[in-house]
Amino acid sequence: MTLCPSPPSATFTATPMDWEKVGKELEIHFQPIVNLHTGQAIGMEALYEGTEKFGFADFDQLAAQAQTQDQFSALENNLRLRALESYTALRPTEDFKLFYNLNPLLQPDPKSLLNHFIPLQHNLCMEVSEWPPTEAYEELIHALQDKGFNLALDHFGPKSANLNHFMTPGLHFVKLDESWIKAITQEGIQRTMVTKLVEAAHLIGLATIAMGVARIEQFYSAKNAGIDYLQGSLIQEPTAQPEDLLEHYSRVEEFNQRDRRRKSRSGNNNLIRLIEVIEPIVISSDMEQVMERFKNNNHLTFFPVVSDLNEPLGILRELDLKKYIYSRYGRELLLNRNIGSNLLSFVSRCPIATPQMSGEDILKLFSHFNGAEGVIMTTNMKYTGFLTAQNLLKMIHEKNLITARDQNPLTQLPGNNRIREWISKAMSKKEESFSLVYFDFDNFKPFNDTYGFRDGDRAILIFADILRKNLDDAQNFVGHIGGDDFFVAFPGTDFELTLEQTQKLRHQFSFEVASLYNPTDREKGYIQAKSRQGELTKFPLLSVSASILQVKTKNDSIRQEELSSVIASLKKEAKTAELGIAAASFLKLKSP
């Protein structure tokens, strides 16, 4: 385990302190860690408060001072005993863990300290730091890994992020530093980085925890980034009375109910019905039991592997055992308890997802993991079933059928249902802004009357092709409302860029569509056709007008009907505007 940054600096004093008094009077507070989707508490973290009365800004500074006086191990031992005593007094179940920070200043006797933790092994999640470890600290981490303790990488943030830490064996959680959680409420590179970081964690089976969540905007940002759990004052302030903590925080459910991005359980029925309940292998099983499982289930080539608490660890492939089974003495070596390999050494990582995730997100997770047999499904970090590669292919097929049904048959672009879904999803991302552009051909009816519907379809296809070639699928959403009406969404707040791209699309269409006219009409720059009133009228060559609506929203109270009303007014204005463009900004602030 390679760890990087150095501990915080502190102002040291040579005056000896009464460390026994510090160990007794320093306050130990507890803060819950809860499931971001359900509000279920999975545990609590022990935090040290009240360092200011001893002249230190935080615990890190106090710990550094204790270390200079060779008193930190004694101080930590005192605090650890108090924290464990408060935790065990709750009579907690194994589903409610104590997240305990292993300070890198520790100089422990690994065996002695490990023996202290073993009785509570299934109740503890040990938080490991990214500071450079001592040799003893490093030895302790390896011992915890070998014994199968839950591990969490603490305060993973912009000052210390190292993706190699994700590959630490035995790691279960990554706690994202509050500086990143604050940053993702603003548009920019950090939000993208955190989202990709969460995807990478899920890809190798790690759960993520958002630290320091204090505002509702941070809750929704964490949810949009795909983070699994949260900790912060928005849910509950740290308390010296652990009995004040709840098993379930209903306010989390209330936040989710107000979030229009929340998918109803019925919306995930197609996903849930594809989950297979493959009985997992428990990590404490011996090799004889494992080989018997494969023998009795010859239709399976792998099994999910879980801890004694039903927490997913990965999968065990029959192929990885065969080289032993079919080699001379290999089977005997596996079955020999004294010589045989640890079952954990045969376990391979596997992507992990939850039923709350969208089908699209699960498919993306699966596609990034080469050679995966599927995706392990969990609820509150407990194994519930397996989505096999075959069932994921079914999901892709069903998704493609749904997409095809909503595509415009002429342009193959998404139709009205997908457009409405995109707008609804974008409006519910409370921290984001975006621009909607509606394109509408000018003088299309007289062109159709003169040149026929076949050339009318060609004009529509020309514009659809221009949109495809000039817009980025990863950034923009392009849709075909019907007839000569098109839709483009531009995420972000850069209105000047949206305007520039809109003008470019308009000019390119005017240039390319001119090829559909005969030379005479093209040279004149107009055609003569009957107006809606039946009078012979000159009509300019085809062009396209654009209505741009920039939406800046701080909550989800804007209704699509309100947007449609504004767009209708803009479309009328755009038809008569000199530049062929009308624009407006829609701002709706959160009500007090």
Side-chain angles (χ1 to χ4, degrees):
M1 187 178 192
T2 305
L3 303 168
C4 44
S6 56
S9 59
T11 303
F12 299 115
T13 174
T15 306
M17 295 182 62
D18 185 347
W19 291 107
E20 186 176 350
K21 178 182 178 183
V22 173
K24 289 180 179 178
E25 295 185 4
L26 198 64
E27 299 170 22
I28 301 179
H29 288 195
F30 299 91
Q31 189 170 39
I33 296 172
V34 306
N35 186 303
L36 191 146
H37 299 281
T38 66
Q40 183 71 32
I42 63 165
M44 63 183 186
E45 182 181 4
L47 304 167
Y48 302 127
E49 306 283 351
T51 57
E52 58 280 350
K53 67 182 176 184
F54 299 106
F56 297 92
D58 54 38
F59 182 74
D60 288 332
Q61 288 192 6
L62 185 145
Q65 176 68 29
Q67 182 69 8
T68 64
Q69 298 182 11
D70 296 324
Q71 293 293 321
F72 179 73
S73 291
L75 173 66
E76 195 278 338
N77 185 66
N78 190 328
L79 295 172
R80 175 174 12 97
L81 292 174
R82 289 176 56 202
L84 293 179
E85 183 181 354
S86 295
Y87 172 71
T88 54
L90 294 176
R91 301 183 181 276
T93 66
E94 293 175 339
D95 290 334
F96 188 78
K97 298 186 184 301
L98 174 65
F99 283 71
Y100 184 79
N101 186 279
L102 290 174
N103 195 293
L105 295 177
L106 265 176
Q107 303 265 356
D109 170 8
K111 247 182 213 180
S112 171
L113 195 54
L114 188 63
N115 289 336
H116 190 81
F117 287 133
I118 283 291
L120 288 170
Q121 175 179 352
H122 297 311
N123 297 79
L124 297 176
C125 180
M126 314 306 289
E127 296 186 358
V128 297
S129 171
E130 294 190 280
W131 296 348
T134 62
E135 185 177 335
Y137 186 84
E138 189 86 25
E139 190 179 339
L140 174 62
I141 300 302
H142 288 315
L144 291 168
Q145 292 167 344
D146 291 341
K147 289 294 183 182
F149 275 80
N150 276 0
L151 298 180
L153 188 60
D154 195 22
H155 282 285
F156 194 72
K159 293 181 180 178
S160 57
N162 184 333
L163 289 180
N164 288 332
H165 297 152
F166 274 15
M167 308 310 294
T168 302
L171 197 63
H172 291 76
F173 299 93
V174 176
K175 299 188 72 176
L176 301 177
D177 189 79
E178 60 186 272
S179 59
W180 255 346
I181 303 308
K182 289 177 182 177
I184 61 174
T185 59
Q186 304 297 321
E187 295 177 24
I189 188 67
Q190 282 188 304
R191 177 190 293 173
T192 304
M193 284 177 60
V194 172
T195 302
K196 295 300 180 185
L197 185 67
V198 172
E199 287 180 8
H202 290 162
L203 191 61
I204 56 176
L206 303 182
T208 51
I209 301 172
M211 300 180 67
V213 177
R215 304 196 320 272
I216 188 65
E217 293 84 359
Q218 293 169 353
F219 175 93
Y220 289 122
S221 296
K223 183 179 179 183
N224 292 341
I227 293 171
D228 306 289
Y229 302 95
L230 60 88
Q231 174 183 359
S233 59
L234 180 68
I235 306 305
Q236 183 165 343
E237 294 279 1
T239 174
Q241 308 299 324
E243 60 273 15
D244 291 344
L245 302 182
L246 305 177
E247 292 183 7
H248 179 267
Y249 287 84
S250 58
R251 64 184 319 182
V252 173
E253 287 187 311
E254 292 169 9
F255 295 154
N256 281 308
Q257 286 166 2
R258 282 159 32 192
D259 182 10
R260 295 200 301 195
R261 279 190 83 235
R262 184 177 67 92
K263 301 293 189 295
S264 67
R265 289 300 297 258
S266 60
N268 265 352
N269 279 346
N270 287 340
L271 167 66
I272 292 169
R273 68 180 173 80
L274 294 174
I275 298 174
E276 295 183 18
V277 183
I278 302 174
E279 185 181 351
I281 289 175
V282 180
I283 195 64
S284 56
S285 304
D286 59 42
M287 281 296 180
E288 190 169 359
Q289 292 173 311
V290 170
M291 287 192 282
E292 192 68 19
R293 287 288 303 279
F294 278 112
K295 179 182 175 182
N296 295 334
N297 297 273
N298 53 21
H299 62 291
L300 293 175
T301 59
F302 70 92
F303 281 99
V305 180
V306 299
S307 71
D308 292 332
L309 296 179
N310 199 35
E311 298 162 334
L313 300 176
I315 62 169
L316 179 65
R317 297 186 178 98
E318 184 181 29
L319 186 63
D320 293 333
L321 297 178
K322 278 185 175 178
K323 61 183 178 181
Y324 284 88
I325 294 172
Y326 297 123
S327 67
R328 191 180 186 184
Y329 310 124
R331 182 181 178 88
E332 287 76 12
L333 285 171
L334 285 177
L335 296 177
N336 190 311
R337 292 178 181 273
N338 297 320
I339 311 172
S341 299
N342 188 328
L343 180 58
L344 190 60
S345 65
F346 290 96
V347 175
S348 301
R349 288 188 181 275
C350 182
I352 294 177
T354 68
Q356 286 84 13
M357 293 173 65
S358 68
E360 290 80 2
D361 287 341
I362 293 175
L363 289 171
K364 185 191 295 184
L365 187 65
F366 174 71
S367 68
H368 288 326
F369 205 103
N370 292 332
E373 280 76 2
V375 178
I376 292 175
M377 301 301 294
T378 66
T379 299
N380 285 328
M381 285 301 290
K382 303 294 183 182
Y383 171 80
T384 55
F386 198 87
L387 261 179
T388 64
Q390 182 179 3
N391 283 341
L392 284 163
L393 288 175
K394 283 183 186 177
M395 207 160 89
I396 293 171
H397 177 65
E398 291 171 0
K399 181 176 179 291
N400 288 340
L401 286 177
I402 293 170
T403 300
R405 281 199 295 268
D406 190 48
Q407 280 180 339
N408 184 280
L410 177 62
T411 62
Q412 303 300 302
L413 289 173
N416 283 308
N417 288 336
R418 294 272 304 283
I419 292 171
R420 281 192 290 269
E421 285 175 9
W422 191 97
I423 295 173
S424 178
K425 186 176 180 180
M427 285 167 60
S428 67
K429 293 180 180 179
K430 299 168 179 57
E431 72 284 355
E432 294 188 6
S433 299
F434 54 92
S435 293
L436 309 177
V437 184
Y438 289 78
F439 292 96
D440 182 16
F441 289 3
D442 301 318
N443 310 311
F444 188 58
K445 184 180 183 303
F447 174 83
N448 262 346
D449 292 343
T450 303
Y451 283 88
F453 289 104
R454 178 172 293 184
D455 276 347
D457 286 348
R458 286 174 179 160
I460 290 170
L461 287 170
I462 284 174
F463 191 63
D465 192 49
I466 289 171
L467 294 178
R468 285 194 182 96
K469 288 180 178 177
N470 288 275
L471 298 173
D472 182 0
D473 287 342
Q475 294 292 323
N476 306 109
F477 178 83
V478 178
H480 188 175
I481 298 169
D484 59 329
D485 291 307
F486 289 82
F487 169 88
V488 177
F490 292 85
T493 57
D494 193 338
F495 178 76
E496 293 299 324
L497 180 61
T498 300
L499 183 61
E500 180 184 330
Q501 288 183 291
T502 301
Q503 283 284 39
K504 179 182 176 182
L505 296 170
R506 292 185 64 253
H507 292 156
Q508 189 168 343
F509 176 68
S510 296
F511 174 77
E512 292 189 21
V513 80
S515 64
L516 297 180
Y517 290 88
N518 62 46
T520 302
D521 288 342
R522 194 161 53 243
E523 186 176 346
K524 288 191 302 182
Y526 65 87
I527 60 172
Q528 286 191 307
K530 287 185 178 180
S531 67
R532 295 182 185 276
Q533 290 74 35
E535 299 175 358
L536 196 63
T537 307
K538 291 181 180 180
F539 291 95
L541 303 188
L542 275 176
S543 61
V544 61
S545 56
S547 307
I548 305 175
L549 178 58
Q550 188 183 36
V551 181
K552 298 179 181 179
T553 177
K554 302 299 180 187
N555 67 7
D556 61 357
S557 62
I558 299 177
R559 301 191 309 275
Q560 288 206 36
E561 292 77 10
E562 294 178 86
L563 298 183
S564 299
S565 175
V566 176
I567 284 293
S569 300
L570 287 175
K571 288 176 76 170
K572 292 179 183 178
E573 186 179 335
K575 289 289 185 183
T576 58
E578 185 177 349
L579 295 177
I581 294 178
S585 182
F586 200 120
L587 175 64
K588 189 153 192 174
L589 295 174
K590 188 171 183 177
S591 301

